[in-house]
Amino acid sequence: MAHRPKRTFRQRRADSSDSDSTQEPFAEPGAPGEQADLGPAEEGLPSGGVRAEAAELPRRARGRGRGRGRVWASSRHAARAAPRLDGGSESRAVDLSTDEEDGTHRSSESKDDQSSSSNSSSSLEEEFTSLVNIPDAAFIQATYRKRELARAQEDYISLDVKHAFTISGMKKNTEYPESEPDGHENIIPFTPKPQTLRQKMAETTATRNEETSEDSEEDKKYQDIWEQQQMRRAVKITKGQDIDLCHSTESQTVKKFDASISFPPVNLEIIKKQLNTRLTLLQDTHRSHLREYEKYIQDVKSSKSTIQNLENSSNQVLNFKFYKSMKVYVENLIDCLDKKIINIQEIESAMHALLVKQAMIFMKRRQDELKHESAYLQQLSRKAETSTNTSLAIDEKTQWILEEIESRRAQRRQARVLSGNCTQQEGTSSDDELSSADMMDFQKSQGDILQDHKKIFEDVHDDFCNIQNILLKFQQWREKFPDSYYEAFISLCIPKLLNPLIRFQLIDWNPLKFDSIGLKQMPWFTAIEEFIDGSMEDSKKEDSSDKKILSTVISKTIIPRLTDFVEFIWDPLSTSQTTNLITQSRMIFEEHSTCENEVINKGKQDLLKPIVSRMKKAIDDDVFIPLYPESAVENRMSPHSKFQERQFWSGLKLFRNILLWNELLPEDTLQELGLGKLLNRYLIIALLNAIPGPDVVKKCNQIAACLPEKWFQNSAMRTSIPQLENFIQFLLQSACKLSTSEIRDEVKEIILILVKIKALNQAESFIEEYHLDHLKSVIKEV
């Protein structure tokens, strides 16, 4: 391939489409050598018209010569230029015309330009050397006429001013209709004519794009050769593609066997090996297809099975609606309970405070009365010791308290007579009577609280405040979707949801009152039992989650409520309160026994601890048995004797109430409280201070009757429990004193008490020592 020469592009500018528009100059700088030669001449030519024309002609000639033979240069021929008299402008302007306007003149101009290029160059040099001054008007006019004549003859414009030209037969070129006016109309401007915007743009573009050196003839030759090679190559490639296309079409249509082709010799082993290889590949492909086929068959079966299961199952839309409705219901329920729990806590606290206030009134009154009455009797004892006849000075408060005490005792005696219970001892009655005014205030406050209690859920629908309706919602869930029900651990959530509603029902519940409703008769208890009985789980399963709901509710809700009553309201000296509390506690523990776990055991211990603590406090604060001289208590009707008797029976009542917990509290705890702290510390000391007789035996019988039979059920037991040793010794001393006196019938009662508490060895020794052989039969009966 020929080396591609460096291409130079001459900027061409097309004239405006308007025929009457003026020619725009195109400035093109010359070669460096030419600029150097023309520099001095230009400095001396202010008008610059002829010199601009003279400088333009060689460049235009070169542009024409360079443009011949180019395939893509048909639209890039340089147009003829017509200089304008710009009044001394130093720039050289060349007028360019479009290809359409120069089409008719281009061929003749090219030939004439080539023949006269050498003459023009020589005459141009002479012209530059001869012209030094500004030409006159006649010279300029002659130059214009010579140029127009050359245009009419389609010849070049000579730069030799010595030749004379005529203007006969001169035709004006349509390309420059108004560019050259007549001589009388020609006015030479002495200042540069303002250039248009298009002219300025043309000058800037020409200056930027023109090369600094002149192309040589060798470059033109290389350029032409390179263009011809490119054209020949393009033609050759096109022909080759056509030939290849024809050959390929023929080869596809007709395929003939060429017998001249030789094949390698046939080898059966090679053919067999190739066939086996091919067969192995086909077998592998076949096996892979079989595996895919089996997989697709299995997927089809699985899809059919899934479709059948979905068709046989319940409607998924209905399932979604159910879950969504259940979710909305639970959210609304929680929102309702969150708002109502504040009111429930307020009412609950108000009722609890009212009951605590009443209990504190009773306790404080009993302690005050005990203190004032004991102080009064001490004054009486001191007065008896001094043997003075002066009257005892008693303050008004003590006198008023004593009168109140005696008034309530009279009312209780009258009530026992009316009820036919005349055998009840003084001091065993609960001193819990209130005055009519205090009772009215209590009832009014309680009524106000209960009235507010009814208003808590009066604006709530039954589905959100009725425990039975709430459990019915969860029962529907359990019946329709048992798997999701148990996976959601609903049995752990139900106790928390029901806690506010159960506390609402327990506001007016007092487990210490005799007429209080039992837990099993409450609506929430029966609703939970029905919900548990309707469980779909296996009834033989001991750790059934729904079966733990009731015990969890009791541990989390009932036991804390009951604990508050024990700590702040329960009076251990009150037999009715103790009996009712034991009944409720026993029911709770029975429910706990059905399902034992850590939470339930903890709840049980949380209830028993305050019970034991409260009984210890009662023993320390409420038991007081004074010891008076024998002379003060000989008279049964004396105030000292009556006060001592009442206090002893009051202590014995607490002893009985403590031992009523024998099936609920541990034995060692009961023995420590009842026998160690109360019997041995208070009751035995009072008996030792008493005169032996039927009253003492009666008291001992009451003490033995309070002891639980469970402690003495062992038939092989011959010795009683260690905590009863002091009581046994007192019985033996009393029997010894009574055996020597006239009252011998009470000795048998004492022996029976010893046999009951399993002090058989002590009883036999006493019978043998005092030769009471008629009492041996009593021991043998055991």
Side-chain angles (χ1 to χ4, degrees), residues 538-652:
D538 188 4
S539 59
K540 296 180 181 180
K541 192 175 181 181
E542 295 182 357
D543 58 345
S544 176
S545 59
D546 282 350
K547 291 182 178 180
K548 298 178 182 179
I549 293 177
L550 184 58
S551 59
T552 305
V553 168
I554 291 175
S555 298
K556 299 295 184 179
T557 306
I558 305 302
I559 289 181
R561 175 74 172 172
L562 204 59
T563 302
D564 291 338
F565 276 95
V566 170
E567 291 180 350
F568 303 103
I569 303 173
W570 174 46
D571 183 11
L573 288 172
S574 174
T575 303
S576 61
Q577 290 185 10
T578 303
T579 304
N580 296 328
L581 181 61
I582 290 173
T583 302
Q584 301 292 346
S585 301
R586 183 175 286 111
M587 188 278 301
I588 291 173
F589 295 156
E590 287 176 358
E591 292 295 332
H592 277 56
S593 62
T594 58
C595 47
E596 293 288 339
N597 56 39
E598 294 181 0
V599 176
I600 294 173
N601 291 332
K602 183 178 182 301
K604 184 177 179 180
Q605 295 300 323
D606 291 341
L607 177 60
L608 294 180
K609 286 181 180 179
I611 290 174
V612 174
S613 181
R614 184 67 185 88
M615 289 190 294
K616 288 181 179 180
K617 187 175 184 301
I619 294 173
D620 296 337
D621 297 343
D622 298 329
V623 176
F624 174 69
I625 304 176
L627 299 178
Y628 297 112
E630 185 176 354
S631 59
V633 297
E634 285 180 348
N635 185 5
R636 297 287 180 171
M637 302 303 296
S638 65
H640 299 81
S641 179
K642 290 181 179 181
F643 180 72
Q644 190 181 48
E645 288 292 315
R646 285 195 299 269
Q647 291 305 114
F648 176 84
W649 289 109
S650 176
L652 184 58

Side-chain angles (χ1 to χ4, degrees), residues 718 748 751-752 754-756 758-768 772-782:
R718 303 289 295 179
K748 182 178 180 181
I751 297 299
L752 291 175
L754 292 173
V755 172
K756 182 180 180 180
K758 293 296 182 177
L760 299 179
N761 293 334
Q762 290 88 341
E764 290 177 355
S765 299
F766 179 79
I767 291 173
E768 292 178 357
L772 301 174
D773 296 336
H774 62 283
L775 296 177
K776 290 182 180 181
S777 60
V778 176
I779 299 175
K780 292 180 180 179
E781 291 177 359
V782 178

Side-chain angles (χ1 to χ4, degrees), residues 39-281:
E42 290 176 353
E43 292 177 358
L45 297 176
S47 61
V50 178
R51 284 181 290 277
E53 177 67 20
E56 178 62 25
L57 290 176
R59 288 193 296 271
R60 188 169 58 189
R62 288 195 301 271
R64 291 193 189 101
R66 193 180 297 115
R68 288 190 182 93
R70 298 177 186 175
V71 177
W72 64 87
S74 61
S75 62
R76 300 181 183 180
H77 292 297
R80 293 182 181 88
R84 294 182 180 274
L85 297 178
D86 294 336
S89 175
E90 294 182 0
S91 64
R92 299 170 180 86
V94 178
D95 293 336
L96 303 178
S97 62
T98 60
D99 294 337
E100 292 81 4
E101 294 174 345
D102 297 339
T104 58
H105 306 287
R106 189 172 295 125
S107 61
S108 60
E109 287 179 354
S110 301
K111 295 178 181 179
D112 296 338
D113 290 341
Q114 289 179 355
S115 61
S116 61
S117 59
S118 59
N119 296 330
S120 298
S121 300
S122 60
S123 62
L124 179 61
E125 294 175 356
E126 294 176 358
E127 192 71 18
F128 282 151
T129 56
S130 62
L131 293 178
V132 178
N133 298 323
I134 299 173
D136 54 1
F139 178 78
I140 294 172
Q141 185 68 27
T143 305
Y144 277 122
R145 289 177 181 176
K146 182 177 65 172
R147 185 176 60 183
E148 290 187 4
L149 180 61
R151 286 179 180 171
Q153 295 177 357
E154 297 181 355
D155 199 356
Y156 72 97
I157 300 175
S158 177
L159 298 178
D160 191 2
V161 297
K162 297 179 180 180
H163 297 83
F165 296 95
T166 62
I167 60 173
S168 60
M170 181 179 57
K171 297 180 181 179
K172 289 187 178 181
N173 195 342
T174 57
E175 183 181 1
Y176 306 97
E178 298 177 357
S179 61
E180 298 173 4
D182 296 336
H184 65 277
E185 296 176 355
N186 186 16
I187 301 175
I188 300 174
F190 292 93
T191 60
K193 185 178 180 179
Q195 294 180 343
T196 63
L197 179 61
R198 184 177 295 179
Q199 291 173 346
K200 294 179 180 180
M201 293 174 63
E203 288 182 2
T204 304
T205 306
T207 304
R208 187 179 304 163
N209 294 335
E210 189 173 17
E211 296 178 350
T212 59
S213 64
E214 181 180 0
D215 295 334
S216 63
E217 290 296 332
E218 188 177 359
D219 293 340
K220 291 194 296 179
K221 183 174 65 176
Y222 286 155
Q223 181 71 23
D224 295 339
I225 293 172
W226 183 82
E227 291 175 358
Q228 292 176 5
Q229 289 177 353
Q230 295 299 321
M231 293 299 297
R232 286 195 298 271
R233 183 183 300 170
V235 173
K236 187 183 296 183
I237 291 173
T238 304
K239 291 181 179 180
Q241 289 179 351
D242 296 338
I243 294 171
D244 293 340
L245 182 61
C246 294
H247 284 300
S248 63
T249 305
E250 292 176 358
S251 63
Q252 291 178 0
T253 55
V254 179
K255 291 184 179 180
K256 294 181 180 180
F257 178 73
D258 190 0
S260 63
I261 300 174
S262 61
F263 293 96
V266 177
N267 190 340
L268 294 179
E269 294 296 332
I270 295 175
I271 296 173
K272 182 178 179 181
K273 184 177 180 181
Q274 292 179 353
L275 291 176
N276 289 333
T277 303
R278 179 63 177 167
L279 179 62
T280 303
L281 294 175

Side-chain angles (χ1 to χ4, degrees), residues 167-416:
I167 60 173
S168 60
M170 181 179 57
K171 297 180 181 179
K172 289 187 178 181
N173 195 342
T174 57
E175 183 181 1
Y176 306 97
E178 298 177 357
S179 61
E180 298 173 4
D182 296 336
H184 65 277
E185 296 176 355
N186 186 16
I187 301 175
I188 300 174
F190 292 93
T191 60
K193 185 178 180 179
Q195 294 180 343
T196 63
L197 179 61
R198 184 177 295 179
Q199 291 173 346
K200 294 179 180 180
M201 293 174 63
E203 288 182 2
T204 304
T205 306
T207 304
R208 187 179 304 163
N209 294 335
E210 189 173 17
E211 296 178 350
T212 59
S213 64
E214 181 180 0
D215 295 334
S216 63
E217 290 296 332
E218 188 177 359
D219 293 340
K220 291 194 296 179
K221 183 174 65 176
Y222 286 155
Q223 181 71 23
D224 295 339
I225 293 172
W226 183 82
E227 291 175 358
Q228 292 176 5
Q229 289 177 353
Q230 295 299 321
M231 293 299 297
R232 286 195 298 271
R233 183 183 300 170
V235 173
K236 187 183 296 183
I237 291 173
T238 304
K239 291 181 179 180
Q241 289 179 351
D242 296 338
I243 294 171
D244 293 340
L245 182 61
C246 294
H247 284 300
S248 63
T249 305
E250 292 176 358
S251 63
Q252 291 178 0
T253 55
V254 179
K255 291 184 179 180
K256 294 181 180 180
F257 178 73
D258 190 0
S260 63
I261 300 174
S262 61
F263 293 96
V266 177
N267 190 340
L268 294 179
E269 294 296 332
I270 295 175
I271 296 173
K272 182 178 179 181
K273 184 177 180 181
Q274 292 179 353
L275 291 176
N276 289 333
T277 303
R278 179 63 177 167
L279 179 62
T280 303
L281 294 175
L282 292 175
Q283 288 176 351
D284 293 340
T285 305
H286 179 66
R287 282 193 294 270
S288 64
H289 290 168
L290 284 178
R291 286 194 295 270
E292 292 180 0
Y293 175 75
E294 293 175 357
K295 180 182 178 182
Y296 294 149
I297 293 297
Q298 191 66 25
D299 292 342
V300 170
K301 291 181 180 180
S302 177
S303 300
K304 289 181 179 180
S305 176
T306 303
I307 292 172
Q308 186 176 3
N309 292 334
L310 292 175
E311 290 176 352
N312 295 333
S313 62
S314 59
N315 193 345
Q316 297 298 322
V317 177
L318 296 178
N319 296 349
F320 173 75
K321 288 182 178 180
F322 174 80
Y323 284 122
K324 185 176 181 181
S325 62
M326 198 69 191
K327 177 178 178 294
V328 173
Y329 172 77
V330 173
E331 289 177 350
N332 293 333
L333 177 61
I334 293 174
D335 183 63
C336 173
L337 295 178
D338 285 341
K339 293 180 180 179
K340 298 298 181 180
I341 190 64
I342 299 175
N343 298 331
I344 293 174
Q345 290 176 348
E346 291 178 355
I347 301 299
E348 189 178 46
S349 300
M351 180 63 74
H352 181 72
L354 181 63
L355 296 176
V356 170
K357 181 181 178 181
Q358 185 186 39
M360 294 301 294
I361 289 174
F362 292 147
M363 186 181 300
K364 187 174 184 304
R365 187 181 68 181
R366 181 170 62 241
Q367 293 177 355
D368 290 343
E369 291 176 352
L370 180 61
K371 183 175 65 174
H372 285 85
E373 190 173 5
S374 176
Y376 172 72
L377 293 176
Q378 288 179 358
Q379 291 180 3
L380 287 178
S381 299
R382 287 196 294 270
K383 180 183 177 183
E385 291 176 358
T386 56
S387 301
T388 58
N389 294 326
T390 59
S391 60
L392 185 62
I394 303 175
D395 57 354
E396 294 181 358
K397 183 178 180 180
T398 303
Q399 185 66 32
W400 178 80
I401 291 174
L402 295 176
E403 291 177 356
E404 286 290 328
I405 294 172
E406 191 61 32
S407 175
R408 290 196 303 274
R409 289 171 183 169
Q411 292 177 0
R412 287 194 292 270
R413 282 193 294 267
Q414 185 178 0
R416 287 195 296 269

